[in-house]
């Protein structure tokens, strides 16, 4: 099996707030392989975005602080480097060039005082050794690639002249202009309406196949994950609680939280009944419950199991399907070894 | 809403036109007014406005018309230059404090608070005292001693006014930067690999152009008024150089023994400089307000 492009190992990020230390990310393991889409799902505040931002060292420090962990980045043919130990200067040449990021709010992610063209050109000129004329050609191609008609004259428009979907396309064009190997998409379609959302996701899929890049797709929409991701990581309270290929996780969810998520989703063609909810609220990340952070809301919680005492490690419950639960249904079937080693991918 | 906007437009264009007429007249006539502002004619003292002197003459028989024109040029020049200094200093100071944040921000803004707390006349007088000799020596290297003394006085004055009036602008700009700093496009710029220095100059500062122009324009009348006020008090532009402020002061002095039997009311000495100053200040304010409506996205 090939080396992962990006491997996050036991990442923990804290935020120092006036009301105490908030553990936003608390021991995350993730790997992304070349050409693969990793879907990261979870509720607001479960650490999805912070994990992605950490990859580019974009978490503001202070108040943020990289408590522990490694983020191994292995570009083609080179030994892996830990992105968390890179200097700001080194990170600047990685950001936008090797790893690009697109954000949730296309309406405000473009600088209102510059034309679209100027902003794309800036990114190109920064990372590629090309002249201005050549950069304009690259920018035009990039805009055409994201399906913007009449790209050459669009270069001269200002962000406020474009609709939300168009702006997100521009953001994608900008992110992809330098041919990054990994795209971090932080809820790229949340602010868009459903038809545009489908178009943007379709576009990302096409571009991924064309360029063979990897995508880390952060979302809270399970439907988006089902359609677009190869591998899915379900996060809860700063940890990955379930991890496996989309088919495995969707067919036989192992963690009670994942099952709760599926139960709370309406399905087409199914008899109408009241949807089941997950009781309670997301725990305050500044004051996590003892043991498994999910146990106070867990339907399967039994007093006799060690749920309230110790944090369950991510275990391989089925081959290449991991879950962090003390009494996962598959526990006895799989090789219940502790996953000290970071989980590896299902398929390449 | 429509109505409010239209009336705004009218006062805006009225301000604009008044400004062009007065400033244009003062600037275009500079070559002549510089020549004649100090020509004295003892046969013609205290002439009321008429054929010989359109705006009357003063106690030394100098033409008030020429003195008002040159005074206007000096007042506006000092006002503009002082506003320029205050904009430059205020933007750099406020933007730096807001962008760096944290302890640097706290220290920089406390300095502003302290300066804010000091009486501003005192600061101007102190700056005046401290800077005049240095400027005189500096300018004396190029010009004759007499010219140097005059020019140094003016330069000191505008530096002093500018050096005091940047405080408000620094606060305004810092506030703008604090809200801009949280905008996603700055994070997006970082995520593109753009360094913090470049982000500051090319992504943050251009977004401040609107508010800066508006507050800059609105600080011009403040500076003109400050100059006139200081000149009125006698610590501003020094005679024989005129400014609207010291012209008005001289006019007031002539009214000192008003009411005593046999005194003549020489109203023109006070009226013209005051009317010109008032009209210009109002025009500048209207113009600035109009500009704010145009450029400020919140009122657009």
């Amino acid at each position: 099996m090939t080396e992962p492009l990006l491997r996050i190992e036991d990442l923990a990020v804290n935020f120092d707030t006036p009301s105490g230390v908030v553990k936003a990310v608390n021991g995350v393991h993730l790997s992304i392989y070349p050409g693969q889409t990793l879907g990261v799902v979870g509720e607001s505040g479960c650490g999805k975005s912070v994990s992605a931002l950490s990859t580019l060292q974009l978490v503001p420090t202070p108040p943020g602080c990289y408590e522990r962990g490694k983020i191994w980045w292995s570009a083609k043919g080179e030994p892996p480097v830990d992105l968390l130990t890179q200097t700001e200067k080194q990170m600047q040449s990685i950001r936008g060039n090797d790893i690009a990021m697109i954000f949730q709010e296309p309406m405000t992610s473009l600088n209102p005082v510059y034309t679209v063209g100027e902003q794309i050109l800036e990114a190109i000129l920064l990372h590629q050794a090309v002249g201005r004329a050549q950069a304009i050609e690259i920018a035009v191609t990039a805009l055409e690639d994201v399906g913007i008609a009449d790209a050459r004259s669009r270069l001269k428009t200002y962000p406020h002249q474009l609709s939300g979907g168009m702006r997100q396309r521009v953001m994608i064009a900008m992110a992809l202009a330098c041919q990054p190997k990994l795209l971090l998409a932080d809820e790229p379609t949340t602010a868009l309406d459903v038809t545009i959302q489908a178009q943007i996701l379709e576009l990302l899929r096409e571009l991924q196949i064309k360029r063979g890049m990897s995508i880390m797709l952060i979302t809270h929409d399970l439907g988006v994950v089902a359609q677009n991701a190869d591998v899915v990581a379900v996060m809860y309270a700063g940890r990955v609680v379930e991890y496996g290929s989309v088919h495995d996780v969707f067919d036989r969810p192992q963690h009670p939280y994942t099952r709760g998520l599926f139960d709370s989703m309406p399905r087409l063609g199914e008899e109408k009944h009241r949807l089941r909810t997950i009781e309670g609220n997301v725990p305050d990340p500044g004051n996590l419950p003892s043991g498994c952070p999910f146990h106070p809301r867990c339907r399967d919680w039994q007093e006799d199991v060690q749920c309230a005492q110790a944090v369950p490690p991510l275990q391989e419950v089925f081959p290449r399907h991991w879950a962090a639960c003390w009494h996962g249904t598959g526990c006895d079937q799989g090789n219940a070894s502790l996953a000290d080693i970071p989980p590896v991918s299902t398929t390449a | 809403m429509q109505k409010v906007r239209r009336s705004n437009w009218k006062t805006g264009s009225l301000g604009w036109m008044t400004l062009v007429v007065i400033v244009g007249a003062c600037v275009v006539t500079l070559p002549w007014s510089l020549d004649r502002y100090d020509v004295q004619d003892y046969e013609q003292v205290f002439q009321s406005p008429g054929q010989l002197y359109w705006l009357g003459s003063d106690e030394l028989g100098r033409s008030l018309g020429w003195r008002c024109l040159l005074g206007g040029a000096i007042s506006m020049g000092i006002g503009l230059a002082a506003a320029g200094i205050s904009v430059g200093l205020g933007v750099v100071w406020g933007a730096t404090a807001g962008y760096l944040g944290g302890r640097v921000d706290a220290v920089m803004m406390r300095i502003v608070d302290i300066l804010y707390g000091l009486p501003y006349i005192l600061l101007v007088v102190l700056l005046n005292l401290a800077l005049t000799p240095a400027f005189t020596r500096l300018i004396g290297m190029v010009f004759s001693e007499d010219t140097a003394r005059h020019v140094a006085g003016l330069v000191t004055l505008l530096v002093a006014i500018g050096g005091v009036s940047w405080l408000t602008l620094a606060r305004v700009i810092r506030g703008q930067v604090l809200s801009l700093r949280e905008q996603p496009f700055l994070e997006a710029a970082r995520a593109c690999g753009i360094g913090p220095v470049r982000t500051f100059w090319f992504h943050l500062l251009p977004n401040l152009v609107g508010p800066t122009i508006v507050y800059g324009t609105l600080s011009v009348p403040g500076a003109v008024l400050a100059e006139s006020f200081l000149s009125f008090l006698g610590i501003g532009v020094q005679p024989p150089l005129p400014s609207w402020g010291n012209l008005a002061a001289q006019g007031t002095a002539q009214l000192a023994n008003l009411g005593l039997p046999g005194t003549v009311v020489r109203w023109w000495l006070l009226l013209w400089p005051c009317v010109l100053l008032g009209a210009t200040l109002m025009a500048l304010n209207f113009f600035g307000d109009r500009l704010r409506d145009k450029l400020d996205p919140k009122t657009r």
Side-chain angles (χ1 to χ4, degrees):
Chain A
M1 186 170 276
T2 49
E3 268 289 294
L5 190 64
L6 183 83
R7 201 173 74 213
I8 301 180
E9 244 181 65
D10 194 28
L11 176 71
V13 182
N14 290 350
F15 285 92
D16 241 329
T17 65
S19 53
V21 175
V22 170
K23 293 178 176 172
V25 170
N26 198 357
V28 161
H29 298 270
L30 289 175
S31 324
I32 303 176
Y33 286 79
Q36 195 179 54
T37 300
L38 169 74
V40 181
V41 280
E43 300 173 56
S44 311
C46 70
K48 299 171 302 208
S49 295
V50 174
S51 303
L53 289 174
S54 306
T55 306
L56 287 176
Q57 269 193 38
L58 282 178
V59 173
T61 49
C65 157
Y66 301 105
E67 183 69 14
R68 59 172 199 273
K70 300 253 189 301
I71 299 181
W72 296 107
W73 168 253
S74 39
K76 204 178 254 174
E78 283 167 44
V81 287
D82 182 3
L83 291 179
L84 288 180
T85 59
Q86 300 293 296
T87 62
E88 177 68 18
K89 200 103 208 136
Q90 288 169 314
M91 282 315 290
Q92 278 171 26
S93 67
I94 290 173
R95 290 178 196 144
N97 196 25
D98 291 325
I99 306 177
M101 186 157 185
I102 51 178
F103 293 90
Q104 188 174 349
E105 304 98 348
M107 311 309 276
T108 47
S109 292
L110 289 166
N111 194 333
V113 299
Y114 288 114
T115 63
V116 161
E118 282 164 346
Q119 297 186 51
I120 302 180
L121 283 186
E122 186 179 17
I124 296 170
L125 292 171
L126 199 65
H127 294 298
Q128 298 181 24
V130 292
R132 204 177 160 79
Q134 214 179 336
I136 290 175
E137 292 313 310
I138 297 175
V140 169
T141 321
L143 282 182
E144 278 166 355
D145 279 351
V146 295
I148 289 180
D150 199 12
R152 201 167 292 272
S153 64
R154 285 291 175 188
L155 286 177
K156 295 190 193 73
T157 54
Y158 282 90
H160 72 266
Q161 295 168 295
L162 300 173
S163 66
M166 288 286 268
R167 274 185 234 183
Q168 193 60 289
R169 281 169 196 267
V170 169
M171 285 304 296
I172 295 173
M174 208 160 122
L176 301 190
C178 293
Q179 316 269 350
K181 297 176 191 75
L182 172 64
L183 177 68
L184 307 173
D186 189 356
E187 307 200 21
T189 56
T190 310
L192 305 173
D193 58 57
V194 182
T195 45
I196 306 296
Q197 183 174 333
Q199 288 173 17
I200 296 285
L201 290 170
E202 174 69 33
L203 174 71
L204 281 178
R205 258 202 308 277
E206 272 172 29
L207 290 170
Q208 178 181 28
I209 293 166
K210 216 156 95 185
R211 306 192 174 184
M213 66 179 176
S214 309
I215 298 181
M216 179 170 172
L217 182 64
I218 296 171
T219 178
H220 48 239
D221 187 336
L222 286 169
V224 167
V225 170
Q227 269 184 26
N228 292 275
D230 305 310
V231 179
V232 56
V234 181
M235 286 187 67
Y236 186 80
R239 284 195 177 85
V240 175
V241 293
E242 185 156 4
Y243 188 80
S245 80
V246 167
H247 294 293
D248 290 346
V249 173
F250 276 59
D251 289 347
R252 38 176 192 200
Q254 292 304 302
H255 197 278
Y257 176 62
T258 320
R259 284 201 295 274
L261 285 182
F262 284 120
D263 283 346
S264 59
M265 234 178 39
R267 289 179 193 210
L268 279 177
E270 218 170 66
E271 206 180 320
K272 270 188 233 162
H273 60 275
R274 256 192 108 77
L275 292 170
R276 286 181 76 172
T277 54
I278 302 176
E279 302 284 328
N281 284 314
V282 190
D284 172 12
N287 183 23
L288 289 175
S290 64
C292 171
F294 188 63
H295 85 265
R297 304 174 70 188
C298 185
R299 256 181 264 148
D300 306 341
W301 179 38
Q302 293 145 11
E303 295 279 358
D304 53 323
V305 195
Q306 53 198 123
C307 291
Q309 279 96 51
V311 179
L314 208 53
Q315 291 170 304
E316 195 167 20
V317 287
F318 290 114
R320 290 169 182 170
H321 185 169
W322 289 261
C325 182
W326 284 121
H327 47 83
T329 45
C331 262
D332 33 15
Q333 299 166 32
N335 53 341
S337 66
L338 288 180
D340 320 297
I341 29 145
V344 285
S345 134
T346 48
T347 48
Chain B
M1 202 59 216
Q2 195 63 39
K3 211 158 211 174
V4 173
R5 213 156 266 181
R6 194 165 300 157
S7 77
N8 254 345
W9 170 239
K10 272 184 189 151
T11 53
S13 57
L14 188 72
W16 182 226
M17 286 188 301
T18 316
L19 209 58
V20 168
V21 170
I22 296 181
V23 175
C26 289
V27 172
V28 170
T29 56
L30 257 182
W32 296 280
S33 58
L34 270 174
D35 233 21
R36 300 180 195 177
Y37 79 94
D38 205 18
V39 176
Q40 302 171 0
D41 185 349
Y42 295 111
E43 317 269 286
Q44 305 287 352
V45 294
F46 292 133
Q47 291 291 319
S48 57
Q51 289 242 301
L52 191 54
Y53 296 109
W54 284 12
L55 301 183
S57 67
D58 66 4
E59 76 269 27
L60 295 175
R62 296 177 293 194
S63 160
L64 194 60
W66 290 121
R67 290 183 67 75
C68 276
L69 285 172
L70 182 63
I74 289 176
S75 286
M76 291 297 295
I78 291 178
L80 279 175
I85 289 178
S86 97
V87 164
L89 210 58
V91 168
V92 170
W93 194 276
T96 310
Y99 190 62
L100 295 180
R103 215 161 286 164
V104 181
D105 178 36
V107 170
M108 287 178 89
M109 291 324 281
R110 288 308 78 73
I111 293 174
V112 169
D113 288 346
I114 291 169
L115 289 176
Y116 229 95
L118 296 175
Y120 114 98
I121 297 283
L122 180 75
L123 275 183
V124 173
V125 172
L126 286 179
L127 278 174
N128 229 330
L129 280 175
L131 295 179
T132 310
F135 277 132
T136 313
R137 217 172 316 123
L138 209 66
I139 298 167
M141 288 195 276
V142 189
F143 296 104
S144 71
E145 200 179 320
D146 205 39
T147 329
R149 202 156 33 79
H150 283 317
V151 177
L154 295 184
V155 172
T156 314
L157 193 60
L158 70 88
V159 168
I161 295 174
V164 168
S165 59
W166 60 275
L167 300 169
T168 317
L169 205 82
R171 283 184 170 179
V172 170
I173 293 297
R174 170 179 171 269
Q176 292 280 334
V177 171
L178 283 185
S179 77
L180 273 176
R181 216 168 60 144
E182 303 304 319
Q183 291 288 315
F185 65 80
L186 288 181
E187 194 179 24
R190 271 193 82 196
C192 263
I194 298 165
V197 176
R198 196 181 156 81
T199 309
F200 179 75
W201 285 105
F202 291 92
H203 289 266
L204 189 82
L205 278 191
N207 277 288
L208 295 172
V209 168
T212 306
I213 290 178
V214 170
Y215 283 97
T217 328
L218 288 175
S219 72
V220 175
V224 172
L225 190 63
E227 179 277 320
S228 301
F229 179 56
L230 293 171
S231 302
F232 187 87
L233 291 181
I235 48 179
V237 177
Q238 296 303 318
L241 278 183
S243 92
W244 285 339
N246 67 21
L247 287 175
Q250 285 161 24
T252 320
Q254 290 302 320
L255 294 180
N257 38 10
L258 198 70
L260 294 179
T263 43
V264 191
V265 182
R266 294 167 187 132
W267 49 269
W268 59 92
L269 289 175
L270 182 59
L271 185 67
W272 303 134
C274 290
V275 165
L276 283 171
L277 179 62
T280 309
L281 291 184
M282 209 132 83
L284 278 168
N285 275 317
F286 282 151
F287 178 58
D289 276 346
R290 178 70 197 139
L291 213 57
R292 178 177 56 202
D293 292 351
K294 271 274 191 201
L295 290 174
D296 190 354
K298 277 168 218 106
T299 58
R300 186 153 46 194

